[in-house]
Amino acid sequence: MIGSEAHKMLFCRMLLDTFNPYRPAILDWPRLDDAAREGLVSLPMWDIAVQTEGKAGLRVKTYGEQISDPLLAKAVALNAFEESRHKHVLANLVQAYGITLTPEPEYVKPRNPEWAFMVTGYSECIDSFFAFGLFEVARRSGFFPPELVETIEPVMQEEGRHILFFNWAAWYTCNLPWWRKPSFVLKRLAVWAFLIWERLSIARDVNGNAQDNNFTVTGANRVGAAIKLPELLEFCLAENDRRLEGYDRRLLRPRTVPTLVRFARRFMGRANRFARA
C-alpha cells in the first residue's frame, strides 16, 4: 500500500477531512493570575515559536505551488494555511499576555521548495514529539490552567495531523524514478543532519546561554514540575502514542525519534511514578 494511489488518498483525505475551522481572532484567552502570567512570559520559546511557524507557512505554501496533482496540492495548501494560522494564534497569545518579542525577520521564499518542505515536515516530527510531552507536564502541574489548555489544544491536534500528513515522504520516495531514489535518500539524510545541527544551535542560543543545551528538561522544569529527563521522555512517548492513535492505523507513524528515545531510556534507569500516574 505504501506509495500507492490509495496511500496518497489516505494521508490527503485525513488532513482535509479533519480540518478544524477555528479562527485565531476569536479564541478566548483566559485571564491568568500574576504568577501564572509571569511563568508563561518567562518561557524562553516565544520568539523561536513565532518565527518557526512564520517560516513553515511560507515554506509549505511555496512547495504546494509547484504541485500538479489536484488532491495533493489541495492538502498541501491546507497544511500551509494551518501553519500560518499557528503563527496568528501565537501572535494573539503573546499580545494577550503582554509577552515582548524581538522583531521578526523578513520571511523569504525558499529557493529550493522541496528541501524547505522536507525541513518543515521532519522538524514537526521532532519538535512535536517533545512538545506533546511538555504540554502534558504543563497541564498536570497546573502551570497551564485548564482554560488555557483548552484554548491551545486545537493547535496541538493540528501538529499531530501534520506529522501524519508527512506520510508524503514515504509516498514520494516510492514514486520517484529508480535513478532519483539514491539522491533523494541522501537529501533526507542531509535534512536530518541540518536539523540536528540547527537544534543544537538553538539550545546553545536560548537566553543567550550556552549552558541551556538541555532545553527540553529546562523547559519542563519551567512549566512547574521538578522532573528528570527519564520521566519527561516517558511523558513524550506516551503522549505521542496517545495523540496519534486515533487516526487510521494504515498511516505510517514517525519512528526515528521514538526509537532513539526508547533506546536512550534503557540507560537512564526507571522513571519515578509521577510520569506513570
Side-chain angles (χ1 to χ4, degrees):
M1 177 203 175
I2 302 303
S4 67
E5 184 69 14
H7 184 208
K8 183 193 73 177
M9 288 282 294
L10 186 63
F11 65 78
C12 288
R13 291 310 326 172
M14 178 280 302
L15 192 74
L16 294 167
D17 294 344
T18 57
F19 172 64
N20 182 344
Y22 72 87
R23 289 185 292 167
I26 63 173
L27 290 179
D28 185 18
W29 297 104
R31 183 183 298 275
L32 303 180
D33 60 37
D34 291 342
R37 181 193 166 278
E38 289 174 8
L40 197 68
V41 171
S42 72
L43 290 176
M45 57 174 277
W46 301 114
D47 291 302
I48 294 172
V50 171
Q51 292 175 27
T52 296
E53 297 295 355
K55 289 185 287 188
L58 182 58
R59 286 171 173 175
V60 177
K61 180 177 182 293
T62 303
Y63 179 71
E65 291 171 350
Q66 67 180 26
I67 297 176
S68 58
D69 182 283
L71 178 62
L72 184 59
K74 184 177 181 181
V76 172
L78 178 61
N79 189 358
F81 169 79
E82 291 181 352
E83 297 289 5
S84 297
R85 186 168 62 174
H86 290 178
K87 180 178 181 296
H88 292 311
V89 170
L90 290 171
N92 290 348
L93 182 151
V94 299
Q95 182 179 18
Y97 298 121
I99 299 171
T100 302
L101 300 180
T102 58
E104 293 181 57
E106 180 183 357
Y107 299 114
V108 180
K109 273 193 171 186
R111 289 180 291 180
N112 187 332
E114 183 179 88
W115 168 273
F117 182 63
M118 292 170 66
V119 166
T120 298
Y122 284 119
S123 290
E124 290 197 310
C125 292
I126 298 170
D127 297 340
S128 293
F129 176 84
F130 295 105
F132 292 157
L134 288 168
F135 188 72
E136 180 63 9
V137 170
R139 184 190 70 82
R140 293 195 187 196
S141 69
F143 183 89
F144 286 173
E147 299 83 5
L148 184 59
V149 170
E150 183 179 349
T151 303
I152 299 176
E153 180 60 25
V155 174
M156 303 300 292
Q157 292 173 358
E158 284 180 349
E159 294 295 354
R161 292 166 58 254
H162 292 175
I163 289 173
L164 293 178
F165 179 65
F166 208 61
N167 269 251
W168 166 89
W171 172 83
Y172 185 74
T173 303
C174 290
N175 284 276
L176 286 172
W178 67 267
W179 50 270
R180 283 195 58 198
K181 289 182 180 179
S183 62
F184 188 72
V185 170
L186 290 176
K187 180 182 281 191
R188 290 171 67 170
L189 292 174
V191 168
W192 275 101
F194 168 75
L195 292 175
I196 292 170
W197 172 84
E198 184 182 54
R199 273 143 190 77
L200 290 175
S201 298
I202 290 173
R204 288 194 299 269
D205 293 341
V206 167
N207 282 342
N209 188 346
Q211 299 176 18
D212 204 11
N213 56 3
N214 209 12
F215 178 56
T216 302
V217 177
T218 304
N221 289 331
R222 291 194 182 206
V223 297
I227 187 170
K228 296 180 180 179
L229 182 58
E231 304 167 62
L232 176 59
L233 296 181
E234 290 287 350
F235 275 116
C236 294
L237 288 166
E239 282 299 293
N240 185 70
D241 290 343
R242 182 183 71 83
R243 287 187 173 276
L244 301 183
E245 69 181 356
Y247 297 93
D248 196 306
R249 298 303 305 174
R250 292 173 293 175
L251 289 168
L252 297 173
R253 270 61 174 170
R255 292 178 294 180
T256 302
V257 174
T259 298
L260 290 174
V261 167
R262 288 189 175 97
F263 178 76
R265 277 287 293 111
R266 297 172 61 183
F267 301 95
M268 294 181 183
R270 181 175 298 177
N272 69 19
R273 294 179 182 178
F274 176 66
R276 301 178 183 274

